[in-house]
């Protein structure tokens, strides 16, 4: 006989779950509905009301062109793609060597990567600004790519290290016996075998970099180089002032749609990647 | 090339360039930040005067710093309680209480974690907006006169109004973490408890909680770290520390000192204070949260 939780407990728990799901989903729905409204509907004092016709679809094209969302979007795509690919390349090679080779200084180097995960990024912001300035990388997308790549390395090294350690050694040994070199073994055998870990890390990095705001806003002050989050934060101040609420919500939606699609598509991997990073 | 030389070359190529790159853009700025905290410096290289610990002394005497520390810990305590309670409750519900729709809740609850903090900040500013916001419109339904509370503009409500979105955005992550932890508990333990006639509450207290304690601890430490190091982003986006420093946290004060007032030395010193506080808090918490480890035989 199984002891069932009481009817009351179950109902209360069910209710709490449903309410929280609503609390999460409703703001997203509200964003979409608000996008299609004009100002008079915003001022009517009923923010939950459905938008009246005519629906203002033109708010999308308005922010896209007038507020240079097309530029922000492309900048974000560029920075996110390049930094995620670079970070994967560097962290996969590093993690592989850490997991399979013994050499002097190994513990120290690994320790440096891990310690950096614990240290608040904000402590380095001021010096990083001046370093990028000295290198001529302020107001450059390259500067952001470099910084994002560097700051995502420890997480990749950590998770992929665990991944490589869990792979059997026999395949590598067979490859070496067959005369395959180290680089070929790594890129043709090991990396393909660690594919699922690599994809998870790549998605995680991409999400983080797509959403990153603080460094983006400090290191880039040229409007043509803004990434989406920076563009939105600048734009929202301007739009509040000019009372363009509908277009502002359209902007929020444009930045959310790609990540929500990526998330729904890769949900399991993202969840696994995040938990792998947090637990150990 | 000999085999040994090939091996060395491989290790070198895979490791050293990435490591130097990493050190230059993360370790060096951090160490340099500690160094700058000992100087009076506005950012231009000519005028960099060594003043020892005077930056720290000035911070110690600055009432805003103490206010900011208080606000930081308000957010830490509020987020730890809110997030851990909700995440545990939800995780127990979809696992032990066998409430249907677990896959759906796992999908939905995590959504705030993938949305940019900027979008979250802007969305919640609209919820709190005094004239067109959702919250006041909703409260007005229950009142004769329209509610016009400036949630983010009032020193009494501003910090609470930042706490809530932070909890909203954080629950999903820890929910997933705890669900995974509970699902990892061997079913045989619960079966044995059933045979002994243990109630759900007893099972929670004697089996679930001790066995997920490690993950609860990790969650608490993680929330503390990310709040002390990162809550300033939400503050910058929603109130910029105002009104009257009511929502100022150390991180937002650092931003203001460094990138608005150009007191780079003081900003760096604040960074060191944040590092010291987060390390100290983590250490104390690890001692406080220590429980006898549970061995599964």
């Amino acid at each position: 006989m199984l002891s069932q939780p009481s009817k009351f407990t179950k109902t209360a728990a069910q209710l709490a779950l449903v309410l929280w799901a609503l609390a999460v989903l409703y703001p997203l729905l509200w964003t979409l509905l608000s996008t299609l409204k004009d100002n008079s509907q915003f001022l009517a004092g009923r923010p939950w009301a459905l938008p009246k016709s005519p629906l203002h679809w033109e708010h999308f094209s308005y922010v896209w062109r007038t507020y240079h969302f097309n530029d922000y979007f492309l900048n974000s795509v560029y920075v996110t793609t390049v930094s995620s690919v670079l970070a994967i390349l560097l962290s996969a090679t590093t993690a592989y060597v850490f997991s399979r080779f013994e050499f002097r200084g190994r513990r120290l180097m690994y320790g440096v990567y891990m310690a950096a995960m614990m240290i608040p990024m904000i402590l380095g912001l001021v010096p990083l600004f001046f370093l990028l300035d000295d290198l001529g990388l302020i107001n450059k997308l390259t500067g952001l790519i470099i910084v994002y790549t560097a700051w995502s390395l420890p997480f990749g090294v950590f998770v992929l290290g665990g991944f490589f350690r869990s792979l059997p050694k026999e395949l590598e040994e067979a490859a070496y016996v067959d005369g395959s070199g180290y680089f070929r073994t790594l890129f043709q055998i090991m990396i393909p075998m660690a594919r699922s870990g690599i994809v998870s890390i790549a998605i995680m990095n991409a999400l983080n970099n797509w959403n990153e705001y603080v460094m983006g806003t400090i290191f880039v002050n040229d409007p043509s180089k803004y990434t989406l989050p920076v563009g939105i934060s600048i734009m929202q101040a301007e739009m509040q002032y000019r009372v363009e609420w509908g277009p502002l919500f359209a902007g929020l939606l444009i930045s959310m749609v790609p990540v929500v699609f990526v998330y729904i598509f890769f949900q399991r991997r993202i969840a696994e990647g995040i938990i792998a990073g947090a637990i150990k | 090339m000999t085999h040994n030389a090939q091996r060395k070359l491989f290790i070198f190529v895979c490791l050293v360039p990435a490591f130097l790159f990493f050190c230059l853009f993360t370790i060096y700025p951090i160490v340099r930040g500690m160094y700058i905290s000992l100087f009076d410096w506005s950012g231009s290289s000519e005028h960099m005067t060594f003043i020892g610990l005077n930056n720290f002394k000035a911070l110690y005497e600055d009432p805003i710093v103490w206010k900011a520390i208080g606000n930081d810990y308000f957010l830490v305590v509020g987020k730890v309680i809110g997030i851990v309670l909700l995440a545990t409750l939800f995780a127990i519900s979809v696992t032990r209480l066998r409430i249907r729709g677990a896959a759906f809740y796992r999908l939905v609850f995590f959504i705030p974690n993938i949305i940019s903090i900027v979008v979250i900040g802007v969305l919640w500013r609209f919820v709190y907006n005094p004239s067109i916001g959702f919250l006041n419109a909703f409260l007005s339904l229950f009142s004769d006169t329209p509610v016009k509370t400036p949630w983010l503009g009032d020193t009494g409500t501003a910090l609470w109004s930042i706490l809530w979105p932070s909890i909203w955005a954080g629950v999903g992550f820890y929910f997933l973490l705890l669900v995974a932890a509970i699902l990892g508990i061997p079913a045989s333990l619960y079966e044995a408890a059933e045979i002994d006639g243990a109630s759900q509450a007893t099972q929670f207290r004697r089996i679930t909680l001790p066995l997920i304690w490690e993950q609860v601890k990790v969650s608490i430490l993680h929330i503390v770290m990310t709040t002390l190091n990162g809550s300033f982003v939400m503050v910058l986006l929603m109130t910029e520390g105002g009104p009257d420093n009511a929502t100022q946290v150390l991180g937002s004060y650092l931003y203001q000192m460094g990138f608005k007032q150009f007191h780079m030395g003081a900003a760096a010193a604040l960074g060191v204070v944040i590092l010291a506080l987060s390390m100290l808090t983590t250490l104390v918490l690890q001692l406080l949260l220590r429980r006898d480890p549970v061995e599964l035989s």
Side-chain angles (χ1 to χ4, degrees):
Chain A
M1 191 190 75
L2 280 174
S3 80
Q4 281 295 324
S6 76
K7 195 104 188 158
F8 173 77
T9 317
K10 280 195 88 158
T11 316
Q14 179 83 68
L15 192 68
L17 287 170
V18 169
L19 282 179
W20 194 261
L22 277 179
V24 169
L25 288 178
Y26 187 72
L28 306 184
L29 180 69
W30 187 53
T31 309
L32 174 64
L33 295 181
S34 302
T35 301
L36 305 173
K37 293 182 179 177
D38 59 24
N39 282 344
S40 67
Q41 295 177 62
F42 274 101
L43 290 167
R46 287 161 46 78
W48 46 82
L50 294 176
K52 296 198 187 87
S53 100
L55 300 176
H56 294 273
W57 293 104
E58 77 277 6
H59 288 160
F60 286 107
S61 53
Y62 178 74
V63 285
W64 188 257
R65 281 197 229 98
T66 315
Y67 277 96
H68 307 291
F69 245 60
N70 47 352
D71 290 338
Y72 305 159
F73 197 90
L74 287 179
N75 290 341
S76 269
V77 169
Y78 172 66
V79 170
T80 301
T81 314
V82 177
S83 57
S84 306
V85 169
L86 269 180
I88 275 297
L89 184 71
L90 296 182
S91 53
T93 47
T94 302
Y96 177 65
V97 172
F98 276 142
S99 68
R100 284 292 200 263
F101 293 87
E102 273 300 336
F103 52 91
R104 269 206 357 239
R106 176 171 165 274
R107 286 174 64 97
L108 176 73
M109 279 168 103
Y110 191 71
V112 169
Y113 278 114
M114 292 307 109
M117 277 212 284
M118 304 288 160
I119 293 176
M121 165 267 284
I122 188 168
L123 177 55
L125 278 186
V126 168
L128 197 49
F129 177 87
F130 289 99
L131 175 65
L132 292 178
D133 196 31
D134 288 344
L135 298 172
L137 292 170
I138 288 293
N139 289 336
K140 298 261 168 56
L141 294 179
T142 313
L144 281 187
I145 289 173
I146 286 175
V147 174
Y148 289 171
T149 305
W151 284 91
S152 19
L153 283 184
F155 180 66
V157 168
F158 173 70
V159 176
L160 291 178
F163 231 90
F164 282 123
R165 270 193 301 278
S166 73
L167 294 176
K169 285 189 182 144
E170 286 75 19
L171 266 170
E172 276 161 291
E173 277 155 13
Y176 291 138
V177 170
D178 288 349
S180 166
Y182 288 107
F183 287 101
R184 236 186 91 194
T185 310
L186 171 60
F187 284 100
Q188 291 192 347
I189 297 175
M190 297 312 287
I191 287 189
M193 284 215 303
R195 199 171 47 231
S196 80
I198 286 176
V199 172
S200 297
I201 296 295
I203 296 169
M204 296 282 311
N205 287 342
L207 275 178
N208 285 338
N209 297 338
W210 180 266
N211 288 335
E212 205 284 331
Y213 167 70
V214 176
M215 298 198 263
T217 192
I218 293 177
F219 301 147
V220 175
N221 293 304
D222 171 355
S224 71
K225 303 277 169 57
Y226 285 160
T227 54
L228 262 180
V230 179
I232 288 176
S233 73
I234 302 284
M235 185 189 81
Q236 67 109 10
E238 202 173 316
M239 285 183 155
Q240 304 254 22
Y241 178 69
R242 291 170 58 177
V243 203
E244 294 178 317
W245 293 313
L248 174 53
F249 280 101
L252 296 184
L253 211 60
I254 290 175
S255 89
M256 269 192 282
V257 165
V259 282
V260 171
F261 270 109
V262 168
Y263 170 62
I264 291 174
F265 200 71
F266 291 107
Q267 189 220 348
R268 190 138 298 195
R269 277 181 192 288
I270 292 172
E272 278 165 9
I274 282 182
I275 288 171
I279 281 186
K280 292 285 161 76
Chain B
M1 208 164 15
T2 67
H3 180 77
N4 197 27
Q6 274 180 11
R7 182 175 177 276
K8 276 189 176 150
L9 178 73
F10 175 71
I11 294 179
F12 184 86
V13 171
C14 282
L15 220 52
V16 176
F19 188 71
L20 292 179
F21 169 78
F22 176 72
C23 287
L24 178 62
F25 290 100
T26 63
I27 304 296
Y28 164 75
I30 288 168
V31 175
R32 172 95 182 150
M34 298 182 189
Y35 178 73
I36 293 175
S37 72
L38 305 174
F39 288 82
D40 181 17
W41 186 42
S42 66
S44 60
S45 48
E46 309 89 84
H47 305 290
M48 198 168 162
T49 330
F50 181 81
I51 55 168
L53 296 175
N54 279 0
N55 280 326
F56 293 95
K57 201 163 154 261
L59 291 181
Y60 181 79
E61 286 159 4
D62 183 348
I64 298 176
V65 169
W66 292 101
K67 173 123 204 159
I69 292 177
N71 290 343
D72 264 315
Y73 281 96
F74 174 87
L75 291 176
V76 164
V77 173
K79 277 175 74 176
V80 165
I81 294 175
I83 292 176
V84 172
L85 277 185
L86 287 172
T88 312
L89 172 76
F90 296 149
I92 297 280
S93 301
V94 298
T95 55
R96 298 310 307 159
L97 299 181
R98 302 183 200 88
I99 285 177
R100 271 181 305 178
F104 170 77
Y105 294 120
R106 290 165 75 157
L107 177 75
V108 169
F109 287 6
F110 194 67
I111 290 177
N113 286 84
I114 53 149
I115 295 176
S116 173
I117 185 113
V118 175
V119 174
I120 294 176
V122 175
L123 264 180
W124 281 89
R125 278 177 74 147
F126 265 91
V127 171
Y128 291 130
N129 188 302
S131 49
I132 62 162
F134 198 91
L135 186 55
N136 281 345
F138 182 72
L139 293 174
S140 298
L141 292 177
F142 308 100
S143 125
D144 298 333
T145 52
V147 178
K148 295 277 175 203
T149 314
W151 297 99
L152 291 167
D154 185 291
T155 50
T157 51
L159 198 56
W160 285 95
S161 306
I162 288 179
L163 174 63
W164 176 241
S166 315
I167 294 176
W168 179 84
V171 166
F173 178 91
Y174 302 97
F175 166 71
L176 287 189
L177 196 69
L178 294 177
V179 166
I182 297 174
L183 292 178
I185 299 174
S188 60
L189 289 177
Y190 290 107
E191 284 157 13
E194 295 284 355
I195 292 169
D196 293 344
S199 70
Q200 283 285 333
T202 314
Q203 290 183 23
F204 172 73
R205 227 178 41 243
R206 305 294 291 274
I207 303 175
T208 313
L209 195 58
L211 288 178
I212 63 168
W213 185 250
E214 201 50 44
Q215 280 85 353
V216 172
K217 204 171 97 178
V218 167
S219 303
I220 293 176
L221 289 171
H222 197 251
I223 296 170
V224 171
M225 288 277 282
T226 51
T227 306
L228 287 176
N229 300 341
S231 64
F232 75 98
V233 186
M234 195 70 108
V235 169
L236 286 181
L237 288 165
M238 296 191 75
T239 61
E240 295 182 37
D244 190 25
N245 293 311
T247 56
Q248 196 75 268
V249 292
L250 286 175
S252 58
Y253 199 39
L254 183 158
Y255 182 85
Q256 194 183 317
M257 277 278 185
F259 298 103
K260 301 272 178 209
Q261 301 178 14
F262 304 103
H263 295 309
M264 294 300 172
L270 273 168
V272 174
V273 172
I274 295 174
L275 175 67
L277 278 182
S278 63
M279 286 171 84
L280 194 72
T281 313
T282 323
L283 203 73
V284 170
L285 273 178
Q286 287 201 323
L287 292 176
L288 283 180
L289 296 174
R290 197 190 290 160
R291 257 180 109 152
D292 290 332
V294 181
E295 291 292 335
L296 282 182
S297 50

